[in-house]
Amino acid sequence: MSDWNRIVEYMKTHNGITGKECNNKIGTGDLRRRIVDIKRKGYKIVDIWENGVNRAGRPTRYKRYFLLKEPN
């Protein structure tokens, strides 16, 4: 199974996906590039900014991507 397939399946069974989740669970470090690939295949993906805390304890922002629609 390809990276983009695993990302789509992860988004279906979880509450979207973040770059950190993608790296830790799927082993792919470049989620943004895979999202572009998935969109080109006809999937409808949206994203929102979330706030969190980084490893140093400082505030940070990151995107969470959601699968809205699969191609026909």
Side-chain angles (χ1 to χ4, degrees):
M1 183 179 282
S2 66
D3 287 347
W4 73 266
N5 287 112
R6 290 194 303 268
I7 291 168
V8 168
E9 290 304 314
Y10 188 91
M11 285 192 291
K12 286 180 184 178
T13 58
H14 295 80
N15 187 23
I17 192 167
T18 66
K20 183 176 181 180
E21 291 170 338
C22 186
N23 192 25
N24 292 341
K25 304 291 184 178
I26 297 171
T28 300
D30 194 0
L31 177 59
R32 291 179 297 169
R33 180 72 234 159
R34 297 292 73 82
I35 292 296
V36 169
D37 295 341
I38 293 167
K39 287 180 176 180
R40 285 185 179 155
K41 294 181 184 306
Y43 289 83
K44 176 71 175 166
I45 306 287
V46 296
D47 60 71
I48 63 166
W49 283 102
E50 292 187 350
N51 297 310
V53 178
N54 67 15
R55 288 179 279 186
R58 295 190 176 136
T60 188
R61 288 177 16 142
Y62 53 90
K63 282 191 176 182
R64 178 173 295 278
Y65 297 91
F66 298 92
L67 176 66
L68 285 187
K69 184 179 175 189
E70 295 186 52
N72 296 333

